[in-house]
Amino acid sequence: MVVYTYTGNNFSSLNNFSSSITGVTYTATDHISGSLSFTDGHHTFTPANTNFAAPYNSAFQFSNNAAGAISRWDIVLTDPNVSASNPNLSSLSSFNSPGVFTQDHAFQTRCGGDPYGGQNILGSTNGTISNSPGTWTVESVSAVPEPQE
């Protein structure tokens, strides 16, 4: 089994004007990292809490080079756990299309309800780094044999 792990560079652009509303303050030491689950330093995104249906449209897309290393990627993960008791919409994205666009971006929005349902946005906090793609590491992991009867 092969495990790919991504480590992004620290955010260089921060917008914390609404951090007292969103409850999240991104710093220049936060970044995106992960394997089958990803984190922005404040939220963890897994298949269990990520919505791939419209309008959230979470996605994983990867291309590799001849050596098997990931060379292009498009990751968008959204946790739309928005309700009256938890009015937060959080998301992270990592894009790398060499020569075109590279960016890691994470944000949290505090809403007066579901922002896709037309409710008002009370505050938004985000961290971004552009034109500085992170790195992928590849690790071969031996499969654990199943016990014999």
Side-chain angles (χ1 to χ4, degrees):
M1 176 171 67
V2 176
V3 175
Y4 292 89
T5 303
Y6 178 73
T7 304
N9 295 311
N10 293 344
F11 295 140
S12 59
S13 176
L14 307 168
N15 175 357
N16 289 309
F17 295 120
S18 300
S19 60
S20 62
I21 296 172
T22 64
V24 171
T25 302
Y26 286 103
T27 69
T29 60
D30 287 324
H31 60 277
I32 293 175
S33 63
S35 190
L36 289 179
S37 64
F38 286 80
T39 181
D40 61 10
H42 297 274
H43 309 92
T44 299
F45 299 84
T46 68
N49 72 356
T50 301
N51 194 328
F52 287 86
Y56 306 106
N57 297 324
S58 294
F60 286 95
Q61 297 180 32
F62 301 94
S63 298
N64 60 315
N65 59 22
I70 294 175
S71 55
R72 291 176 178 257
W73 63 90
D74 181 352
I75 302 167
V76 179
L77 301 173
T78 302
D79 177 5
N81 189 18
V82 179
S83 66
S85 61
N86 181 23
N88 298 317
L89 174 71
S90 52
S91 178
L92 70 78
S93 58
S94 181
F95 302 98
N96 183 44
S97 296
V100 180
F101 182 69
T102 297
Q103 183 182 72
D104 284 356
H105 179 77
F107 79 89
Q108 177 168 315
T109 299
R110 174 66 54 99
C111 307
D114 181 353
Y116 293 102
Q119 299 296 320
N120 61 331
I121 294 176
L122 305 176
S124 184
T125 304
N126 64 67
T128 305
I129 182 167
S130 298
N131 302 316
S132 183
T135 57
W136 287 92
T137 56
V138 181
E139 178 184 6
S140 294
V141 179
S142 299
V144 177
E146 294 191 25
Q148 295 183 356
E149 294 183 24

